[in-house]
Each structure stands twice: as C-alpha cells, then as structure tokens.
Amino acid sequence: MSTNIFWQESPIGKTERQKLLNQKGCVVWITGLSGSGKSTLACSLSRELYTRGKLSYILDGDNLRHGLNKDLGFKAEDRVENIRRVGEVAKLFADAGLICIASLISPYRKDRDASRDPKGLYKLARAGKIKGFTGIDDPYESPLNCEIELKEKEGECPSPVAMAEEVIAYLEAKGFLQNQ
C-alpha cells in the first residue's frame, strides 16, 4: 500500500452539493439471498424517489460484476473484496449528495431457507450443479442491527412499491429527503 497519497479536497463540499440537490446523500443497502427481490425493491425505491424529485443511483451486484468487479469470483475473499469496493463507491455517491441504493447479497455480517427462486439457481445449487452458492453451501449471515427490516405482513410479502414507501418513510423520518 502506498503511503505517499493524499486526499484531494473539492472546492465544493458535501453540504453545497446536498443543497443543490435538495436532499442529503446517504446509502440504502439492500441485502438478502439470491432471488429475494433486492433488485426489484431497488428499482421501485429509485422510481418512487424520482417521482418525489430526489436523485438516486442503484449499485446492483450483478451489474457491478460486469465492470468494476468483473475480476472477482465467488470465493469468500472475493466476496469480501466485492462488498468493500461497492462500499467505497457507495460512500462517494453519498458524498456527492445522491441517495445510493446498493443492492447486493452481502453474505457476511462483518461486511454488512430460500423462499424465492425465479432464476432456478437454488434448485441447481441443491442438485450440486452450482458450488459455493450463498444460502446453500456458502453462508449468508443475516444482519444483526439493520436500521429497517421489511417483513411479511399477515403471511403476505408486501409489494415492491409498498416496501419502497416504507423505506422512503424511514428516510423522511431521518431527514434525508427534507428540503434544505
């Protein structure tokens, strides 16, 4: 690691960027097993924020593996590096004043029974055709102290829009969507 590097301050700070955007930058990190609806929720949340005049950007785990993280596999150390990189990018987006929606499996607590299988991946993993699959033969550690948890209500999973509304209510209560 190089010791001869220094952080370059911007002449326009986070406060000025947030004032310009009329919102506070933050990171909404959506975690869950493969196929659990993370990307669907992220897209609904982004759309709902947009309708309120708020600027967000989705960092989707699959999309990031096409570019930023295409050199990483699915071994434990690669998964840790994947989350580390996304975390650093998410911090930059939040510093820019955006609402960053990070949608990743995030299998390990220290870095952050399958109920849905739209891609048929759990079936393949259980049949031994996919090795190292999170939630089957690779761990998924549920968050211990998440700020908001979206749960079933009366045995029914809320719609993505309803879940997005719950997240937006939380962001409003915390002051992230308030006019500056």
Side-chain angles (χ1 to χ4, degrees), residues 26-29 55-59 89-90 93-94 98-102:
C26 65
V27 178
V28 176
W29 198 284
L55 185 58
S56 66
Y57 193 85
I58 299 170
L59 296 176
V89 171
F93 273 97
L98 276 72
I99 298 166
C100 179
I101 305 167

Side-chain angles (χ1 to χ4, degrees), residues 29-175:
W29 198 284
I30 301 170
T31 180
L33 291 168
S34 178
S36 63
K38 297 177 300 301
S39 296
T40 302
L41 172 57
C43 290
S44 291
L45 177 56
S46 184
R47 171 59 56 193
E48 292 301 313
L49 287 166
Y50 177 80
T51 65
R52 290 168 168 76
K54 303 302 176 185
L55 185 58
S56 66
Y57 193 85
I58 299 170
L59 296 176
D60 183 83
D62 283 351
N63 292 354
L64 291 164
R65 284 186 176 270
H66 285 279
L68 178 68
N69 294 334
K70 72 179 179 180
D71 62 322
L72 299 175
F74 292 92
K75 295 178 188 167
E77 58 270 17
D78 287 348
R79 290 175 185 266
V80 169
E81 177 60 13
N82 181 50
I83 298 305
R84 187 197 69 76
R85 289 181 191 179
V86 176
E88 291 296 325
V89 171
K91 285 191 319 191
L92 293 172
F93 273 97
D95 184 62
L98 276 72
I99 298 166
C100 179
I101 305 167
S103 172
L104 297 98
I105 290 175
S106 316
Y108 307 121
R109 263 187 216 118
K110 67 181 179 182
D111 300 321
R112 85 61 222 113
D113 321 302
S115 60
R116 190 172 167 234
D117 193 13
K119 300 174 187 174
L121 299 176
Y122 287 100
K123 183 177 181 182
L124 292 172
R126 285 189 186 103
K129 295 181 180 175
I130 300 176
K131 299 292 181 198
F133 194 79
T134 305
I136 302 298
D137 61 349
D138 215 39
Y140 175 78
E141 300 169 348
S142 298
L144 294 175
N145 297 309
C146 55
E147 293 181 56
I148 183 170
E149 186 175 353
L150 304 173
K151 296 183 175 187
E152 290 182 353
K153 293 178 179 141
E154 299 175 12
E156 294 289 321
C157 185
S159 72
V161 171
M163 289 188 284
E165 291 290 342
E166 197 172 333
V167 174
I168 288 171
Y170 177 84
L171 292 173
E172 285 175 336
K174 292 294 184 179

